[in-house]
Amino acid sequence: MAEVLQQPGPTGHAELSGLNFPQNSQSQAMVAAMERLNQLSIAAQPAEVNSSSFDPWAFGLAQHLPSPWDLNAWQYRDTWLPHNTPHPGMMGAAMPVPRPGTAYQGYTMQSPVHPNQIPIGVAAATRSGQGGAIYPPGVYAGSSSSPTANAGKRAGNEFSHNKAITKRLASAVHYQQILDIIAESVHQFDEVNVATALHRLAKLQPPNLSNQPPSIIYTNQFQQLIYAIKTLLDRFEAQAVSNTMWAFATLGYYPDGDTLDNIGEHAVTIISTFRPQATSNTLWAYAKLGYPPPESLLAAAAHQMVIDFPKSVPQDISNTLWAYATLRHYPGSELLNGAAKQAVFTIQRFKPQEVANTLWSYATLGHDPNNLLLDAMAAQMAERIQLFRPQAISNSLWAYAKLGYNPGREVLDVTAQRAVQSLPQYTSQEIANTLWALATLEHHPGVQLLDASAVQTARRIEQFSPQDITNSLWAYAKLFHYPCNDLLQSAAMYCLRHWHRFKPQEVANMFWALAILKACPPDTWRLLLDKLGNVPVASFDDADRHQMYQVYLLLDSAARPVGGRTAGPSLAASFPPVLLESALTVWKASVRQTGRISKLHEEVSQVLWSLGVVHTNEHITPDGLFCVDIAMQDSKVVLEVDGPSHFSANSHRPLGRTVGRRCMLESRGYLVRSIPFYEWNSLEGVEQQKAYLSRLLASAYAFSRPTLA
């Protein structure tokens, strides 16, 4: 899990005259009172604490930020409408707040001083006109350490006053109003006021166009609010916990780890009071912040959600699953199966992003939710595809491919059509994931999408990661679709430029794709093979080595196009010898692992015997490199019985591996004839089957070559 950067905590007594309070008579009077109280409190501090140690970032930031300060640029009339809890996949990555001592916009964060040195505030006047009580540092009106004189009478007044504060916070239409209320009354806040203020700030924050942390979190008021949260945490109820965590994540504010741990531990103690939305939003926030909550909370939340699933709405289900998947925490089959059951029951109410996030979560956690849910979500995609954004389409297809479940030709066709319409809006990862998913599901999406994707990839190739460009090329090779020359040449050059960024598996997949598509001229291949020689053989697993040996065979085949005779210098001679030896061992071991022949293969063999044709099933070639389906006696004629796995699922187009295998066999002198399943299944009766095989063999023997040693 990525390290979570900590936000500097509350610091020492700030020079309040440097802060930018609203210019009205009440706030000016409050500033004057607070300045006087600051002087008194500073005098009461230990001798080693003085104003020179105060952190200018937490409370004096206004004098350092470029002018005019962002917060002053917005007026109350600039109302930002409240929004619902965002879907995880639709939120951009939040920018972490810099650590103390790190540079930010040309300035350096200072180390925070002791949290007890928070400025002392003065209570706002009550509705009756009486002055509010003044509390010592760190004491809030709603906290257990409030003064106890006239406790009963004051408790009622405080409750009424806190309720009024909550109403003011809830009715605010601009974030500056929230900041003003905090400045006036933060030391009278109870736990409800604190959580409401933070939640409203997150709801009303201005749009973030710079991808930087919002200016709100650097204000004096926000820092006071954070300190209040720490002080009143043990009094938080479920909604306050949920709203607080949701606000942290939405604002992109990263509290220190102790605060997040304490919130999680407190949530465990009251988890039975959580509603589904509170539970899901809390989990979502931890995942969005990239901070794993205590294990006790993950377990307790899973148990509570299982109980509450009958009351859950699609967003609760989607956010809960997304959180566990993002945190890479398997919550147990009881929760996952329960979520699937409730999702099927409420499927008509799922939004497109919720469909995508749910599918993505199950795939990421490696849990099969059952065909009922997968089919129901596929139906939603087919019916409402115009409402799916590129990310939702890409993630949904990726999930189906990862789960190994084909959602059906209709869904894949409409998603491909939708992708063609909006391909310029797709990110590089979304293009790559879409192509990879379609190829993994062995669904040919049509020439239009493949060609358009090739053009987009070639234009934006530097935006692609090594994994993205590898997956894209692998998809073209898997579907055996030759993209534009610009893409193939650009991909090979990209591989050379960014070689150090490629993982061994990506190297193996990229080389295989380039070899299948015959994409590179000899000089480019020699440069790539020279790079390959520097990769430690041990970094390749058996699957990678098997694929690399196929690359070697394909390169060798290109030099012997006629009758197994070498036509020129072979690129295979440049293949790293140590890797070649290791890959050969893996390759030959796989050839010897012959399985049971298919029913289709058995039928073909029986008809051949009825014709008196002597042959061998599952024949291993003398060099030990291939196991062919049917080999004719005393000749190089080979029959390959090609079942559905040799073709794309929605067409009769052969896949790249099928074409590559035939190329390798023919370059070694074998004359290969294919028996596609769809042709064989169209024959009616044994007589038609005999006639079919007789014609096939006659055409083969007419061009057969002598047996080679």
Side-chain angles (χ1 to χ4, degrees), residues 378-674:
Q380 287 294 303
M381 290 184 66
E383 181 181 341
R384 304 162 63 195
I385 193 62
Q386 293 299 323
L387 301 178
F388 278 69
R389 297 182 179 182
Q391 185 190 47
I393 293 175
S394 168
N395 285 356
S396 298
L397 291 177
W398 178 89
Y400 277 114
K402 192 73 173 176
L403 290 168
Y405 188 85
N406 192 316
R409 181 170 181 171
E410 180 186 4
V411 176
L412 298 178
D413 283 344
V414 297
T415 53
Q417 294 167 9
R418 174 65 173 155
V420 170
Q421 298 169 3
S422 54
L423 199 59
Q425 302 171 22
Y426 276 57
T427 66
S428 58
Q429 185 179 25
E430 290 161 0
I431 292 174
N433 284 353
T434 299
L435 292 173
W436 178 88
L438 291 168
T440 300
L441 294 169
E442 299 180 350
H443 181 90
H444 197 289
V447 173
Q448 189 177 8
L449 174 61
L450 293 176
D451 287 346
S453 297
V455 171
Q456 288 292 325
T457 304
R459 287 177 180 172
R460 297 190 265 160
I461 195 163
E462 287 300 327
Q463 299 175 18
F464 281 65
S465 69
Q467 183 182 29
D468 293 339
I469 194 63
T470 299
N471 286 350
S472 298
L473 265 290
W474 177 88
Y476 283 110
K478 176 73 178 288
L479 296 172
F480 199 63
H481 179 85
Y482 195 88
C484 59
N485 285 327
D486 287 347
L487 173 58
L488 294 176
Q489 295 174 9
S490 299
M493 293 298 102
Y494 177 99
C495 189
L496 290 170
R497 284 195 306 274
H498 300 282
W499 181 265
H500 61 286
R501 297 171 56 198
F502 278 75
K503 298 176 182 177
Q505 184 184 18
E506 294 163 355
V507 170
N509 286 344
M510 176 65 81
F511 272 53
W512 180 83
L514 293 174
I516 286 287
L517 296 170
K518 298 181 180 180
C520 302
D523 289 344
T524 303
W525 267 120
R526 291 188 182 95
L527 292 173
L528 289 169
L529 291 171
D530 183 61
K531 293 278 190 182
L532 181 62
N534 297 323
V535 180
V537 175
S539 65
F540 292 106
D541 62 20
D542 284 353
D544 298 333
R545 298 179 200 191
H546 186 276
Q547 202 163 18
M548 291 306 298
Y549 193 77
Q550 189 173 358
V551 172
Y552 168 80
L553 291 175
L554 289 167
L555 293 177
D556 187 52
S557 299
R560 321 192 276 177
V562 181
R565 299 178 182 275
T566 302
S570 173
L571 286 169
S574 302
F575 205 90
V578 178
L579 175 59
L580 178 60
E581 181 181 0
S582 177
L584 175 60
T585 301
V586 175
W587 179 272
K588 285 191 171 182
S590 69
V591 171
R592 292 190 295 269
Q593 294 174 356
T594 57
R596 181 181 177 183
I597 64 176
S598 67
K599 181 179 179 181
L600 174 63
H601 188 159
E602 288 180 349
E603 289 180 0
V604 173
S605 179
Q606 289 172 3
V607 175
L608 285 173
W609 285 118
S610 69
L611 290 171
V613 178
V614 180
H615 62 279
T616 304
N617 291 316
E618 298 295 323
H619 174 71
I620 296 179
T621 58
D623 56 13
L625 296 180
F626 300 96
C627 179
V628 297
D629 290 343
I630 299 174
M632 300 298 107
Q633 190 176 37
D634 300 327
S635 76
K636 300 286 286 185
V637 174
V638 168
L639 298 183
E640 289 284 88
V641 183
D642 293 335
S645 64
H646 292 266
F647 305 90
S648 61
N650 61 321
S651 73
H652 297 155
R653 299 171 185 263
L655 297 175
R657 61 172 178 263
T658 302
V659 177
R661 174 180 170 83
R662 182 165 183 165
C663 176
M664 290 184 290
L665 284 169
E666 290 183 339
S667 70
R668 280 157 180 76
Y670 292 94
L671 198 146
V672 182
R673 288 291 181 266
S674 172

Side-chain angles (χ1 to χ4, degrees), residues 78-84 172-174 200 202-207:
D78 300 326
T79 302
W80 302 102
L81 297 179
H83 54 280
N84 294 327
V173 296
H174 193 280
R200 295 296 292 164
K203 285 263 188 178
L204 300 176
Q205 64 173 315

Side-chain angles (χ1 to χ4, degrees), residues 141-160:
S143 70
S144 58
S145 56
S146 300
T148 57
N150 300 317
K153 179 179 179 180
R154 193 177 65 251
N157 291 336
E158 288 176 0
F159 176 79
S160 177

